[in-house]
Amino acid sequence: MLLGDPTRLHPVAGFGDVALALERRIWADSRRRGALFTLLLVAGTGAASCVATSHLRGWRRVLLETATLWCTLGGRSLDRAAHAMWQALAAGDVAAARELAPTLVGRDTANLDPSDLARATIESVAENTGDAIVAPLFFFAIGGAPAVAAYRATNTLDAIVGHRSDRHRRFGWASARLDDLLNLVPARLGAAMAALAAAAEGRGPSAIASLRADGHRHPSPNAGLYEAVFAGALGVKLGGENRYGGIVEHRPTLGSGRAPQPDDILAAIVLARRAAMLAAFAFAATLELRRRA
């Protein structure tokens, strides 16, 4: 949270460039070819990290593992992007907010009003609290640098080829399903931590009620858990109509509150920070228990 993400030569961005180059070489409208693409990149990343850490001892290994975890976390950049969106909306500059939206969401933003933009931002903060904070901490706690590197590779591939475009519907299937599978456990732990964080402001019961009622209704088996908790904690309604490349997608509504407003973005940022700190303490305790075992 203090240092933020690397601003230059970010390893995740470099991995994305490698993935795009490999996709251009081996792409085919085939699940089998997409599975090979996923296997090469995820297994290769995990193996490279494993080899690198196994050859180091003492402070050198600590430094490499710490740097690996740092590069897989994205909480500070998420925080900054959401805060910039709030500033634009609070100033009434909807045009600027629409220009900022692609840094947070992949949907069409040209016709979104302030409430739609606030909703999109809160949904992004909720989902990425899991993808960019809780899940990396979880995998680092259970498997060190190799596990978190492999997870981040999978999550990045899901962002690159996991969407349902004509090009990636079959080719990206393996990346999307692997990302869903890897997030099954950390998403449920993270949603519980977010609900616990909401309890700090007396919103725990509504967060849990929303999670139980609506968490399963989202197309994603994992993102919906976070979004439902955030909807209940903030007293807003998420989900609804989204457009992707001109195609309308109707998602179930999550929560039973009012339409989101710009100031709800700030509340979402605070909730995400608290959930992140809970995750950090919980998984640090897990590491300590492993060390003592």
Side-chain angles (χ1 to χ4, degrees), residues 107-214:
R107 70 195 64 172
D108 300 343
T109 61
N111 298 313
L112 298 185
D113 63 23
S115 180
D116 292 329
L117 290 163
R119 174 171 70 86
T121 303
I122 294 168
E123 289 171 354
S124 178
V125 169
E127 179 177 356
N128 285 292
T129 296
D131 288 349
I133 304 173
V134 176
L137 291 172
F138 170 82
F139 281 103
F140 187 81
I142 66 172
V148 73
Y151 165 75
R152 196 58 178 169
T154 303
N155 187 248
T156 304
L157 293 181
D158 180 50
I160 294 173
V161 302
H163 40 86
R164 297 179 179 178
S165 65
D166 290 339
R167 178 179 175 84
H168 294 134
R169 192 178 306 275
R170 292 172 61 82
F171 184 80
W173 178 87
S175 294
R177 297 292 76 77
L178 181 59
D179 184 67
D180 286 342
L181 178 64
L182 292 182
N183 273 295
L184 283 176
V185 173
R188 280 142 187 82
L189 294 174
M193 291 172 186
L196 184 59
E201 294 185 358
R203 303 290 299 182
S206 58
I208 293 172
S210 179
L211 172 63
R212 295 180 63 183
D214 300 326

Side-chain angles (χ1 to χ4, degrees), residues 32 55 100 132 155 216 281:
R32 181 176 298 179
H55 283 79
L100 288 169
N155 187 248
H216 64 283
F281 282 119

Side-chain angles (χ1 to χ4, degrees), residues 225-273:
L225 303 178
Y226 287 102
E227 291 186 21
V229 168
F230 273 65
L234 303 180
V236 299
K237 183 183 296 182
L238 302 178
E241 181 181 295
N242 296 332
R243 291 179 179 269
Y244 298 91
I247 299 174
V248 178
E249 180 179 312
H250 295 279
R251 294 189 174 182
T253 57
L254 309 176
S256 56
R258 53 179 171 74
Q261 300 301 316
D263 283 349
D264 293 318
I265 296 173
L266 293 181
I269 292 172
V270 171
L271 180 57
R273 287 176 181 171

